[in-house]
């Protein structure tokens, strides 16, 4: 699954019908785990099933990314509210992670890896393991949207103002305010991505686009 995701993120599977036999040969593994990985990527939204004729990269959909932002905002806010108070040592980890995101400008995949690590560190105190796993899946689904904007719109990195507002609230001991700031951050980013898609920028970047909700 990770190997296929890496091919997707590098743009090596765009526009092609994906077959488990061809991918298995390319990756040097048997067909069964490849098919399981492809079906899992259909479940999480990165791929679409082509009615028994293989798989294809799912088109980017402005409605989907808005909906994902709404879900992520609500659930990450919930996870932070459920978390134990954030220790000073973890606040320092979060601060360093923000600096690393800023320093990685120009390397889209590294920026997204660091951003994922920041969210994981922020919510590691949430006692609901199933919720944390679900959030990881959702962030994985949004990742290709963010990559599309960073590459297609020529942006060098992610804005970290929202991260810093969350951190400032945590340093003030106001976890509820931090959760609200997190929700706002996770709603505003997908709205921006959806606007970029709606304006038709993907066509210029060679990225497939859907006109409706999936």
């Amino acid at each position: 699954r990770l190997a296929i995701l890496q091919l997707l993120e590098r743009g090596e599977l765009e526009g092609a019908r994906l077959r488990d036999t061809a991918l298995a040969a390319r990756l040097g593994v048997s067909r069964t785990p490849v098919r399981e990985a492809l079906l899992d990527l259909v479940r999480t939204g990165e791929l679409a099933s082509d009615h028994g004729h293989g798989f294809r990269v799912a088109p980017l959909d402005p409605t989907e990314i808005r909906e994902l932002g709404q879900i992520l905002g609500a659930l990450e806010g919930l996870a932070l509210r459920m978390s134990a108070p954030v220790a000073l040592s973890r606040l320092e980890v979060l601060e360093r992670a923000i600096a690393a995101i800023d320093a990685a400008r120009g390397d889209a995949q590294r920026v997204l890896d660091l951003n994922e690590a920041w969210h994981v560190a922020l919510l590691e105190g949430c006692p609901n393991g199933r919720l944390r796993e679900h959030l990881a899946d959702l962030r994985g689904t949004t990742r290709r949207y963010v990559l599309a904007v960073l590459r297609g719109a020529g942006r060098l990195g992610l804005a970290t103002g929202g991260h810093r507002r969350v951190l400032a609230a945590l340093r003030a001991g106001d976890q509820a305010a931090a959760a609200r700031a997190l929700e706002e951050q996770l709603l505003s980013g997908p709205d921006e991505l959806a606007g970029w898609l709606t304006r038709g920028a993907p066509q210029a970047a060679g990225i497939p686009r859907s006109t409706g909700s999936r």
Side-chain angles (χ1 to χ4, degrees), residues 39-149:
L39 290 171
D40 193 49
L41 291 169
V42 170
R43 179 185 64 80
T44 54
E46 286 88 353
L47 298 178
S49 178
D50 207 4
H51 305 293
H53 297 288
F55 302 83
R56 56 185 171 80
V57 178
L60 298 173
D61 184 338
T63 300
E64 180 186 43
I65 189 58
R66 281 197 177 98
E67 292 174 348
L68 286 168
Q70 292 166 356
I71 297 168
L72 264 174
L75 293 185
E76 288 217 5
L78 172 64
L80 187 53
R81 289 185 178 93
M82 294 173 63
S83 298
V86 180
L88 179 61
S89 59
R90 188 144 52 100
L91 292 177
E92 298 308 318
V93 169
L94 292 168
E95 184 72 57
R96 290 194 296 272
I98 293 172
I101 293 170
D102 289 336
R105 288 173 62 83
D107 185 339
Q109 286 182 303
R110 178 158 173 75
V111 165
L112 292 187
D113 288 343
L114 291 167
N115 185 61
E116 169 72 11
W118 186 86
H119 283 272
V120 170
L122 176 67
L123 301 175
E124 69 179 17
C126 174
N128 190 320
R130 183 67 63 87
L131 176 56
R132 294 198 311 273
E133 290 175 5
H134 188 47
L135 286 169
D137 277 347
L138 288 168
R139 286 193 294 267
T141 305
T142 65
R143 182 180 172 103
R144 69 193 187 100
Y145 284 89
V146 183
L147 271 174
V149 171

Side-chain angles (χ1 to χ4, degrees), residues 162 165-166 169 176-186:
R165 285 189 289 274
V166 172
R180 290 193 298 271
L182 182 61
E183 290 167 352
E184 291 169 5
Q185 175 194 13
L186 292 168

